[in-house]
């Protein structure tokens, strides 16, 4: 039972992180529609979003394959 509760907690954490990434991505997309972001700060933030997304994907992969145990 504890294992199941731990997995549910991990899924909730992943879901929350994914929602944050999605919200920020949408916000940046609305702000810079159709243009390349030239501002270095924006480029840094977009890179950070990409890295966060990769971490989420790794966490999900590790959960599915059992590497997180």
């Amino acid at each position: 039972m504890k294992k199941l509760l731990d997995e549910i907690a991990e899924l909730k954490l992943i879901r929350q992180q994914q929602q944050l990434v999605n919200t920020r991505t949408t916000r940046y997309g609305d702000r810079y529609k159709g243009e390349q972001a030239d501002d270095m700060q924006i480029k840094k933030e977009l890179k950070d979003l990409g890295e966060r997304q990769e971490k989420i994907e790794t966490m999900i992969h590790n959960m599915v394959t059992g590497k997180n145990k």
Side-chain angles (χ1 to χ4, degrees), residues 2-12 63 68-69:
K2 177 157 174 36
K3 179 182 169 187
L4 179 61
L5 292 176
D6 289 344
E7 287 184 5
I8 290 171
E10 190 172 359
L11 284 171
K12 285 182 179 182
M63 233 181 128
N68 64 336
K69 297 180 189 276

Side-chain angles (χ1 to χ4, degrees), residues 31-57:
R31 189 193 261 171
Y32 302 105
K33 203 168 271 189
E35 299 178 21
Q36 287 288 334
D38 293 329
D39 187 312
M40 290 305 291
Q41 179 65 27
I42 295 166
K43 285 183 178 182
K44 181 186 177 305
E45 291 174 9
L46 291 173
K47 184 176 186 264
D48 177 55
L49 276 176
E51 289 171 356
R52 285 180 180 217
Q53 183 63 46
E54 287 177 6
K55 287 179 185 177
I56 292 169
E57 290 171 11

